């Protein structure tokens, strides 16, 4: 798969202070990610948004990761200026990528490549995402993306027909709500069986009473206990997988 990237524009982020918006090009289309750097030598986290697109939420998580000592590139998988607010629009943009898995893989790889062009250590990176972003992370894992680990928070766990984890080269962590009605526990169990069969190192944790999107601050789905526990587990994963 050929992916082309390029720097188009640099603007200061108006909604956060620790990083900056970066516009980049993947296969002829513009995307606007968020680059938050702490040092030249820090490990890299590629952070992938949920079905709202890249918003304040991902910037906040990027700053939290900065505080832990990680450089972060929050990717944009929808396109510059595309930040859907209506459910029908969110479904449209995610649905288009679910139907075009090659494009989804190219966007993920292109985002990682662009982060590397900014100075991010792509050879010492963990890829993580929320909801739709979690599904994109697992897509990259199945594609054989070179990373130190893959982490999904309440993400889509299904494996498309014809795909498997035979090319996955790094550990996977799945952080999931047991009360998630959008992504049922049957998919969680199926994924565990697939990873075990493929010999992929994995850690999978569920949190009682946690619904879908349990990490989203300020929402009626937010569960503080599950959010804090899952974030701590993620931090331990980062320490164990990055140098």
């Amino acid at each position: 798969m050929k992916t082309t990237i390029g720097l188009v524009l640099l603007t200061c982020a108006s909604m956060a202070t620790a990083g900056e918006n970066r516009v980049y090009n993947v296969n002829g289309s513009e995307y606007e990610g968020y680059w938050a750097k702490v040092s030249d030598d820090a490990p890299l986290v590629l952070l992938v948004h949920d079905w709202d697109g890249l918003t304040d939420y991902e910037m906040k998580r990027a700053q939290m990761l900065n505080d832990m000592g990680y450089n972060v590139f929050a990717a944009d998988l929808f396109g510059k200026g595309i930040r859907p607010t209506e459910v029908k629009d969110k479904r449209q943009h995610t649905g288009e990528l679910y139907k075009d898995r090659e494009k989804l893989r190219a966007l993920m790889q292109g985002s990682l490549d662009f982060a590397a062009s900014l100075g991010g250590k792509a050879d010492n990176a963990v890829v993580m995402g929320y909801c739709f972003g979690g599904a994109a992370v697992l897509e990259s894992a199945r594609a054989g993306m070179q990373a130190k680990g893959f982490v999904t928070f309440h993400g889509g766990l299904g494996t498309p027909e014809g795909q498997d984890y035979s090319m996955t080269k790094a550990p996977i962590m799945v952080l999931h709500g047991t009360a998630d009605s959008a992504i049922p526990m049957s998919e969680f169990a199926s994924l565990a069986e697939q990873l075990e069969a493929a010999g992929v190192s994995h850690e999978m944790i569920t949190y009682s009473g946690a619904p879908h999107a349990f990490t989203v601050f300020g929402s009626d789905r937010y569960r503080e206990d599950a959010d804090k526990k899952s974030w701590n587990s993620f931090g331990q994963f980062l320490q164990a997988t990055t140098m």
Side-chain angles (χ1 to χ4, degrees):
M1 180 193 313
K2 182 179 180 181
T3 301
T4 59
I5 65 170
L7 174 61
V8 180
L9 176 67
L10 166 63
T11 61
C12 292
S14 60
M15 295 179 289
T17 58
E20 53 196 6
N21 292 339
R22 292 277 187 152
V23 177
Y24 60 112
N25 186 292
V26 179
N27 290 341
S29 297
E30 287 189 343
Y31 298 84
E32 187 169 15
Y34 179 75
W35 173 236
K37 178 182 177 180
V38 292
S39 73
D40 290 339
D41 297 326
L44 173 67
V45 175
L46 180 68
L47 191 159
V48 190
H49 59 77
D50 64 13
W51 72 342
D52 294 337
L54 178 54
T55 66
D56 279 358
Y57 176 78
E58 288 77 24
M59 294 180 184
K60 171 63 176 176
R61 292 292 182 181
Q63 292 173 28
M64 291 170 66
L65 285 163
N66 282 170
D67 291 342
M68 295 162 61
Y70 297 89
N71 292 333
V72 182
F73 184 66
D76 171 20
L77 301 188
F78 290 165
K80 181 184 177 184
I82 301 176
R83 305 294 185 258
T85 57
E86 300 295 328
V87 170
K88 63 180 180 65
D89 295 325
K90 296 174 185 178
R91 286 177 176 162
Q92 174 193 337
H93 292 295
T94 56
E96 287 175 356
L97 291 175
Y98 282 139
K99 291 177 182 177
D100 191 346
R101 298 283 174 157
E102 288 300 309
K103 181 178 180 180
L104 178 56
R105 292 182 177 200
L107 288 172
M108 290 291 290
Q109 187 63 52
S111 296
L112 181 61
D113 292 345
F114 182 70
S117 77
L118 297 174
K121 290 188 171 298
D123 61 347
N124 193 22
V126 166
V127 185
M128 61 88 76
Y130 294 92
C131 299
F132 161 74
V137 167
L138 293 181
E139 186 71 32
S140 293
R142 291 190 297 270
M145 175 183 276
Q146 296 288 341
K148 290 294 185 70
F150 301 93
V151 182
T152 167
F153 287 80
H154 44 78
L157 305 180
T159 302
E161 184 177 355
Q163 289 193 24
D164 59 35
Y165 286 87
S166 60
M167 295 177 62
T168 303
K169 298 177 174 66
I172 289 176
M173 169 172 270
V174 177
L175 304 162
H176 196 70
T178 315
D180 190 331
S181 58
I183 313 296
M185 288 300 296
S186 58
E187 290 190 15
F188 181 92
S190 176
L191 176 59
E193 291 174 350
Q194 293 173 58
L195 295 178
E196 188 67 23
V200 176
S201 176
H202 59 280
E203 182 174 356
M204 302 177 65
I205 306 172
T206 62
Y207 301 95
S208 61
H212 191 64
F214 65 82
T215 68
V216 180
F217 305 120
S219 76
D220 58 2
R221 295 172 177 266
Y222 182 70
R223 298 294 184 272
E224 183 177 12
D225 183 63
D227 176 40
K228 289 183 175 179
K229 287 179 178 177
S230 60
W231 189 256
N232 286 338
S233 293
F234 174 46
Q236 293 170 9
F237 182 88
L238 286 173
Q239 290 182 341
T241 54
T242 58
M243 295 183 291

